[in-house]
Amino acid sequence: MGYFVDQLINGLTLGSVYGLIAIGYTMVYGIIGMINFAHGEVFMIGAFISLIVLLLLAQLGVAAVPLAILVTLVLTAVFTALWGFVVERIAYRPLRGSFRLAPLISAIGMSIFLQNLVQLLQGARVKPLPPVLTGRIPLGSIGDHQLSVAVVQVVIVVVTVVLMAGFSLVVSRTALGRAQRACEQDRRMAELVGVNVDRTISLTFVFGAALAAVAGLLYTIYYGSIDFFIGFFAGLKAFTAAVLGGIGSLPGAMLGGLLIGLIEALWSAYSDIQYKDVAVFAILVLILLFRPTGLLGRQEVEKV
Amino acid sequence: MNAMTKLMLSACAAALLAAAPARADVTFALGIPATGGQIAAIGAQARLGAEAAVKAINDKGGIKGEKLVLEIADDQCDPKSAVSAANQVVSKGIRFVVGHLCSGASIAASGVYDEEGILMMTASATSPELTERGMKLVFRACGRDDQQGVVAAKFIADKFKGKKVAIVHDKQVYGQGLAEAAKKTLADAGVTPAYEGSVNAGERDFSALVARLKQEGIDIVYYGGYHTELGLIVRQARQAGLETRFVGADGLATNEFWSIAGEGGAGTLFTFSADVKAKPSAQSVYEELKKKGEPDNFAFYYYAAVQTLADAVARAGKEPEAVAADLRANGFETVVGTFRFDAKGDLIDPEYVIFEWRDGAYAPTKL
Amino acid sequence: MQASSASPVTDRLRAALREAAIAGIIMIGIALPLVGFRLQETPGQGLGIAYRFDQVVIAGVVVAIGRFLVALFRPELQQLRGRLAQGGARTVRGGRVSQTAIGIAACLLAFALPFLPIADRYIVDTATTVLIYTMLGLGLNIVVGLAGLLDLGYVAFYAIGAYSFALLATHYDFSFWMCLPIAGVMAAFLGIILGFPVLRLRGDYLAIVTLGFGEIIRIILINWGALTGGPNGITNIPRPSFFGAPFTRTAAEGEVPFHELFGLSFSSMHRVLFLYYLILVLVVLTAVIAARLRRLPIGRAWEALREDEVACRALGVNATRVKLSAFAIGAMFGGFAGTFFATRQGFISPESFTFIESALVLAIVVLGGMGSQLGVALAAIIVVALPEMTREFAELRMLLFGAAMVLVMVWRPRGLIGTRRPSVTLARFTS
């Protein structure tokens, strides 16, 4: 039982990170119907920027860890958002209104480009960061099994929940959110009623990138080692999460992320670790068979 | 059509230019991943060593007065690219190859070299398979995975009697080869692993594995793989309050292991060829290599491979067959020690010592 | 008078300056964190940071100047672009008539390639790789280009073909010629097994499921060590023989080596050439078959389904069966290509069948212009030969490759030879 709870906590932490990245996929898909393959790379850039900012702060002598993390969070989000903006302008905007696969290929190209760019600029070696948040919080015990959770795990889950809540508010309550939803429904109609579609789409990428940047920061702190290739794996899992939850749905992305984190942790706990990715994809296929648009996806109305 | 012809023509022209033979020189190709990700960093180490060796040889007048030239053949550590790179080596008329760096790439490329009568000598591909296929012109100036795994397993069986052992590897040629050799040796010594598992290379989250090791009450883990993953496993283990001891292989002989694992890396053991940097004979080369950044073992071994091959060519001439015979017949004094090759082309009795990480540095263990 | 003539120019200048300033600032903004600071590890002291602000400024200035020039001459550039597009349209229209002719010419050129004076082992070998990718592209083209099903896991079929052949040949001494159809059938069968449950998914859901399937196959190849050799892969895969005559210096008893059969002196080039012609014939066959299929009712159904699934189903087309057939046939060609790959390499391992291969093949199909076979061949040359040609710029080649993919898409979203139009249109019948 204690073992189960331990693995549950691991799964939730991992799932939170996946969920944060998945939001970027799901928003972009919701609004322009494309898989932004380069989103994993934006996350990777976020992780690099956060590591650089953290080290700079350490050099400047900022000793208070919470303050340092907060400053890093803001700076990383801002700079990574700029990257998200530029990627959209260069690789996707000229292709808007083009046929479905063109932006996908452009995105794959962008992903290869960004990976190699960061490798060139920052070197191929793994970048380690000494542990920033250490310590564990005891949670009592079950039988003779001591339960505890790492501080950094708590931080990850809390940051994710806060951001999710804030972001849901943005989408449901603000003018930007309304414009976004309008574009999702019908882009041309939205334009006719005065929504600035280009700006809305740009902002969607900016927000997606900012969330990915936060994920990048959390990832850097949690695992303490990044390289230019992390975007691929994380992006793949996050994308799977977005689809599992129903691509285009915000709560779906979070739910999908958590589910995948849990599946990975629990499968690894009770079965062959080497087949955990098979388990993830197999469950994805199963769910899609019974709910073809994912768990929380809108059912498409189809008339024959 | 037009564009296609143009492309074809320019491709051809480029190849022609590249194929212009260098006369009165001895050319070695260096098969490494110059691109292709993280592994490219190790490729850079190999290049550092090989280039330094070439420079040293040329400064002393080259090979019998002929200048030694090094050509990079980029294989991206990928078998398909390696075949392509090998064919380029063939087209350039090069007869000697130092490399390739990765086992998969070496095995794929050796097929081409074998057909064309080109001699290759790797200083890092440790997969046993490479020299098990009866190819006469394939040499390996380093140990084999099975040799290292055996040393580590004997050590575990000897020093940690009655402890619960787990074997974990990264499902790559290197890691799995180590783990399998270790498992076999442990079984011979009557030790059955309490847990066997594997991880994905390139992954970051090992919390599930760590929790599992904790649950099974493992005392000692033999890990087959590289420092990037084991560093994180150790780090996450310590974070989760797991004080298991880890034993690995020469992939851990890099400072990066300590940077990733942090203080928790203390006590981690690994098999490694006797420390090159500590050898008096290697000091001048060490000084030379240090000018371009801290060298690791790959740099020294590729330095040694170039030395060995150059010695053999100086003695036996430029025919690969004759050079191969010379390599098998003689001993070679190199920066990392004396090399002797057996009939398969493997190093005879590569020396492995158990090292231990402590305070950011490694030294032979006192256990 | 004077004011009105001067103001458009100054306006233009001012607007251009503004754009340039914005572009420069954005460039500095994105370059600052990643170019301006470089993470560096100094032994013993952990990670440090080096500064390169000069490069950030240079990048900003270069971008600003570039943007300024573009903005300043925008009307002229647009005119030029319009003219180019018109010209392009004309050639495409003119070219349509003789696409077959171009195809035949390309084939002839390909057949003649090894006899050109520039052809050495490396060139022929690279051309062989180009042809493997052409074959993969032609196979995937059926699935993506004709049937409109987005498949991100095509590499799975390629792997199945390669491993089927490798296992049958190493364990049961099957010859290449016997394995080729078996591997094709195996891959097609797998395509059906996978396709059956998932083909009712739409567009991007299908994409992720196929992607997952590709990953699953790779994971199984790595982990099922007893069968597949795990990460070590399979070595010593037999090379193909010329109808029983091996390409070796000396043959086993009862066999005559190729060179003795024809009274030639031994040369390892013979096998390289043989492999080249083998794959060339396979590619031409694939192209012809695919082109024929397109004219058959099944091909028409694929395209109809791609254009409008709802309408098709309303007309009574069995969508699942039509999709399955596309999936299976595409998979079969992937299997053939895999078989050839295995026999050429003589060694296969899971690292040759990663997601990036699927992405490359998909890129070939889309860059070439979906549905166009000539485009696939052209794109395969670009995708394979371009990185090969730039081997000298080792560090930059993948960077340039990625950038090229983006640029080609932005420049020609429909691909290099973009003719995604139904093979039959009403216009043809009325005129």
Side-chain angles (χ1 to χ4, degrees):
Chain A
M1 186 62 199
Y3 177 54
F4 176 77
V5 177
D6 274 351
Q7 292 287 19
L8 212 60
I9 293 171
N10 291 336
L12 283 177
T13 319
L14 184 62
S16 300
V17 178
Y18 288 156
L20 274 181
I21 311 174
I23 291 173
Y25 279 108
T26 228
M27 280 198 314
V28 166
Y29 189 89
I31 199 161
I32 55 174
M34 76 165 272
I35 302 170
N36 180 10
F37 246 98
H39 190 62
E41 264 48 66
V42 172
F43 155 77
M44 178 267 295
I45 287 176
F48 267 92
I49 294 180
S50 71
L51 181 55
I52 289 171
V53 176
L54 276 176
L55 284 175
L56 280 178
L57 289 177
Q59 282 185 0
L60 288 176
V62 179
V65 173
L67 178 71
I69 289 180
L70 207 66
V71 173
T72 311
L73 193 135
V74 173
L75 285 179
T76 307
V78 168
F79 279 108
T80 313
L82 202 57
W83 276 89
F85 172 77
V86 171
V87 165
E88 194 265 342
R89 271 309 272 270
I90 292 178
Y92 307 146
R93 186 174 293 184
L95 290 171
R96 204 169 299 151
S98 173
F99 83 116
R100 193 164 54 95
L101 285 183
L104 180 72
I105 299 300
S106 181
I108 293 177
M110 197 40 136
S111 155
I112 296 175
F113 176 80
L114 291 178
Q115 238 178 56
N116 284 279
L117 184 72
V118 172
Q119 183 191 353
L120 207 66
L121 292 175
Q122 298 291 337
R125 302 213 126 191
V126 169
K127 311 281 178 251
L129 175 77
V132 182
L133 288 171
T134 48
R136 303 185 66 82
I137 303 167
L139 295 176
S141 56
I142 299 177
D144 56 354
H145 189 98
Q146 286 295 324
L147 275 185
S148 66
V149 53
V151 174
V152 57
Q153 289 179 317
V154 176
V155 170
I156 287 177
V157 174
V158 168
V159 169
T160 306
V161 168
V162 168
L163 276 179
M164 263 310 286
F167 200 68
S168 302
L169 275 182
V170 168
V171 171
S172 61
R173 296 285 159 80
T174 63
L176 168 70
R178 272 195 298 280
Q180 233 172 15
R181 279 177 293 148
C183 290
E184 264 177 54
Q185 295 282 337
D186 187 334
R187 205 187 309 155
R188 196 172 300 165
M189 199 61 215
E191 199 152 17
L192 283 178
V193 298
V195 173
N196 187 339
V197 172
D198 274 346
R199 213 184 64 140
T200 311
I201 293 177
S202 269
L203 279 175
T204 306
F205 274 87
V206 163
F207 273 108
L211 289 179
V214 177
L217 166 69
L218 297 176
Y219 190 97
T220 308
I221 298 176
Y222 188 36
Y223 297 121
S225 128
I226 58 171
D227 62 47
F228 67 94
F229 205 64
I230 55 171
F232 179 75
F233 277 108
L236 195 64
K237 289 285 167 59
F239 176 42
T240 311
V243 174
L244 186 65
I247 196 156
S249 149
L250 281 185
M254 208 56 234
L255 179 67
L258 288 179
L259 266 180
I260 286 186
L262 287 176
I263 294 169
E264 279 190 21
L266 294 179
W267 181 276
S268 308
Y270 296 104
S271 187
D272 276 347
I273 290 188
Q274 49 265 51
Y275 285 108
K276 75 173 185 253
D277 290 345
V278 173
V280 168
F281 285 118
I283 289 177
L284 173 78
V285 172
L286 273 180
I287 289 182
L288 286 184
L289 284 184
F290 293 104
R291 290 192 64 89
T293 48
L295 287 173
L296 301 181
R298 244 177 283 127
Q299 297 294 326
E300 281 170 49
V301 185
E302 194 180 321
K303 289 181 203 139
V304 175
Chain B
M1 171 69 197
N2 196 13
M4 198 160 122
T5 348
K6 259 192 202 156
L7 250 171
M8 285 259 192
L9 285 178
S10 57
C12 302
L16 261 186
L17 285 176
R23 276 181 205 85
D25 289 340
V26 183
T27 309
F28 289 177
L30 177 64
I32 50 164
T35 56
Q38 211 171 307
I39 197 79
I42 301 179
Q45 282 286 336
R47 185 175 182 167
L48 179 73
E51 280 177 346
V54 168
K55 185 168 173 293
I57 290 166
N58 284 335
D59 285 350
K60 283 186 197 145
I63 299 178
K64 282 193 180 162
E66 288 181 46
K67 201 168 148 244
L68 180 57
V69 180
L70 198 66
E71 287 247 9
I72 305 295
D74 179 13
D75 62 15
Q76 296 177 290
C77 196
D78 162 54
K80 178 162 55 70
S81 286
V83 167
S84 186
N87 277 307
Q88 202 173 26
V89 167
V90 171
S91 288
K92 286 181 181 170
I94 299 171
R95 313 290 304 273
F96 301 98
V97 177
V98 178
H100 291 227
L101 189 91
C102 306
S103 290
S106 296
I107 292 172
S110 64
V112 175
Y113 297 143
D114 188 54
E115 264 173 37
E116 294 289 335
I118 293 171
L119 187 146
M120 81 170 249
M121 178 183 286
T122 179
S124 56
T126 48
S127 165
E129 185 71 27
L130 179 63
T131 48
E132 293 289 340
R133 296 170 304 152
M135 291 179 176
K136 291 274 167 276
L137 297 177
V138 176
F139 289 85
R140 174 182 357 236
C142 60
R144 295 164 43 133
D145 294 337
D146 37 9
Q147 295 165 333
Q148 257 192 91
V150 169
V151 172
K154 279 184 180 151
F155 182 80
I156 292 173
D158 185 35
K159 304 275 180 184
F160 298 93
K161 272 203 183 76
K163 301 274 187 186
K164 269 189 155 180
V165 182
I167 297 182
V168 179
H169 64 84
D170 67 354
K171 292 192 285 193
Q172 299 204 32
V173 178
Y174 169 69
Q176 187 170 354
L178 289 167
E180 274 167 6
K183 188 181 162 191
K184 205 163 152 284
T185 314
L186 281 175
D188 291 344
V191 181
T192 326
Y195 174 74
E196 283 176 68
S198 61
V199 297
N200 291 327
E203 234 173 51
R204 289 291 188 284
D205 192 277
F206 303 109
S207 55
L209 173 74
V210 166
R212 186 128 184 198
L213 293 174
K214 203 172 171 183
Q215 174 74 2
E216 307 274 353
I218 301 293
D219 302 303
I220 186 157
V221 179
Y222 183 73
Y223 180 78
Y226 296 99
H227 66 280
T228 36
E229 283 80 23
L230 185 61
L232 281 169
I233 293 175
V234 171
R235 180 172 175 151
Q236 288 171 26
R238 303 302 179 242
Q239 213 159 42
L242 177 69
E243 293 302 328
T244 307
R245 191 189 279 275
F246 290 87
V247 182
D250 58 357
L252 302 189
T254 160
N255 290 322
E256 257 176 41
F257 171 74
W258 189 262
S259 320
I260 298 172
E263 296 298 323
T268 302
L269 304 170
F270 62 97
T271 46
F272 189 40
S273 37
D275 194 10
V276 181
K277 287 179 196 169
K279 286 189 179 169
S281 60
Q283 285 316 306
S284 63
V285 174
Y286 185 24
E287 289 303 318
E288 187 61 36
L289 289 176
K290 247 208 277 199
K291 287 178 191 163
K292 287 186 179 165
E294 182 70 18
D296 63 24
N297 232 29
F298 290 103
F300 286 105
Y301 270 83
Y302 273 90
Y303 193 105
V306 171
Q307 277 185 313
T308 308
L309 207 50
D311 278 0
V313 171
R315 199 157 36 215
K318 289 199 237 175
E319 277 308 309
E321 304 271 346
V323 174
D326 186 81
L327 284 168
R328 289 200 170 85
N330 295 300
F332 294 83
E333 288 309 320
T334 71
V335 60
V336 298
T338 310
F339 282 175
R340 285 182 182 283
F341 296 94
D342 64 12
K344 284 181 194 165
D346 283 327
L347 222 48
I348 294 173
D349 205 16
E351 194 186 346
Y352 281 112
V353 181
I354 309 267
F355 280 77
E356 182 172 347
W357 273 104
R358 187 106 14 231
D359 299 325
Y362 54 82
T365 182
K366 297 191 183 73
L367 279 175
Chain C
M1 187 74 187
Q2 208 176 12
S4 64
S5 74
S7 82
V9 177
T10 45
D11 275 0
R12 214 159 133 183
L13 204 64
R14 199 175 298 143
L17 274 175
R18 220 187 108 213
E19 262 189 58
I22 293 175
I25 290 171
I26 290 181
M27 184 64 211
I28 289 178
I30 62 172
L32 181 67
L34 287 185
V35 182
F37 305 97
R38 188 189 159 96
L39 295 165
Q40 255 174 358
E41 196 168 2
T42 31
Q45 292 157 20
L47 217 50
I49 288 186
Y51 304 93
R52 297 181 294 200
F53 295 131
D54 49 337
Q55 293 183 22
V56 177
V57 176
I58 293 172
V61 170
V62 167
V63 166
I65 292 176
R67 186 78 203 187
F68 176 71
L69 292 177
V70 169
L72 198 59
F73 299 109
R74 181 163 295 135
E76 285 81 358
L77 282 173
Q78 265 163 359
Q79 258 179 7
L80 193 71
R81 206 177 186 184
R83 222 175 294 144
L84 277 179
Q86 265 178 6
R90 217 175 296 130
T91 35
V92 166
R93 230 176 287 130
R96 265 191 78 73
V97 188
S98 56
Q99 276 232 353
T100 333
I102 296 175
I104 292 171
C107 284
L108 289 178
L109 184 73
F111 270 101
L113 173 74
F115 298 104
L116 299 178
I118 43 105
D120 58 10
R121 183 171 174 150
Y122 172 63
I123 298 269
V124 176
D125 186 73
T126 307
T128 309
T129 312
V130 169
L131 287 172
I132 294 180
Y133 279 91
T134 310
M135 181 140 179
L136 287 168
L138 289 174
L140 187 63
N141 194 16
I142 294 176
V143 182
V144 181
L146 296 185
L149 304 166
L150 182 49
D151 183 351
L152 289 179
Y154 193 60
V155 74
F157 305 120
Y158 185 42
I160 293 295
Y163 271 87
S164 305
F165 168 62
L167 290 172
L168 288 172
T170 49
H171 291 311
Y172 302 105
D173 287 330
F174 277 38
S175 77
F176 174 77
W177 297 105
M178 277 163 79
C179 288
L180 193 65
I182 298 177
V185 170
M186 292 273 279
F189 185 62
L190 206 79
I192 293 175
I193 290 185
L194 164 76
F196 203 70
V198 303
L199 277 178
R200 66 196 194 99
L201 298 174
R202 277 166 172 272
D204 303 295
Y205 289 92
L206 183 67
I208 180 71
V209 171
T210 49
L211 194 162
F213 179 66
E215 280 297 294
I216 288 176
I217 293 286
R218 196 177 62 82
I219 295 170
I220 292 175
L221 289 180
I222 292 179
N223 286 307
W224 195 357
L227 181 72
T228 63
N232 295 309
I234 300 173
T235 48
N236 294 336
I237 301 170
R239 305 309 190 97
S241 56
F242 186 81
F243 303 104
F247 292 91
T248 45
R249 200 179 289 273
T250 50
E253 212 160 310
E255 287 179 339
V256 186
F258 175 80
H259 61 104
E260 280 178 20
L261 195 66
F262 287 87
L264 302 165
S265 60
F266 175 78
S267 158
S268 55
M269 260 314 263
H270 291 157
R271 177 191 293 153
V272 176
L273 286 175
F274 175 67
L275 284 171
Y276 175 74
Y277 281 115
L278 180 61
I279 185 74
L280 185 56
V281 169
L282 286 175
V283 165
V284 171
L285 271 179
T286 310
V288 170
I289 292 172
R292 290 299 307 164
L293 280 173
R294 198 171 167 170
R295 308 251 172 277
L296 294 177
I298 185 73
R300 302 275 196 246
W302 290 338
E303 288 189 283
L305 210 61
R306 175 190 74 198
E307 296 302 322
D308 193 337
E309 180 167 348
V310 176
C312 276
R313 280 161 55 183
L315 287 170
V317 174
N318 184 336
T320 312
R321 197 180 297 163
V322 170
K323 284 181 183 174
L324 263 185
S325 64
F327 224 63
I329 291 174
M332 182 181 74
F333 287 126
F336 289 156
T339 311
F340 179 81
F341 176 74
T343 191
R344 181 182 87 133
Q345 291 282 95
F347 162 67
I348 52 169
S349 62
E351 55 195 325
S352 295
F353 305 101
T354 52
F355 168 71
I356 196 76
E357 295 290 313
S358 293
L360 279 185
V361 179
L362 184 66
I364 288 174
V365 173
V366 179
L367 285 179
M370 303 227 307
S372 159
Q373 298 198 332
L374 210 58
V376 166
L378 185 62
I381 292 176
I382 293 176
V383 167
V384 177
L386 205 65
E388 281 295 329
M389 274 158 55
T390 51
R391 256 179 196 285
E392 316 300 320
F393 318 98
E395 286 90 16
L396 289 176
R397 60 196 259 219
M398 284 315 278
L399 187 81
L400 294 175
F401 177 67
M405 260 169 96
V406 175
L407 289 180
V408 170
M409 274 297 109
V410 170
W411 173 55
R412 293 196 72 126
R414 293 238 157 224
L416 295 169
I417 303 184
T419 52
R420 182 187 143 179
R421 58 178 75 174
S423 304
V424 226
T425 51
L426 279 178
R428 198 185 283 178
F429 292 118
T430 48
S431 65

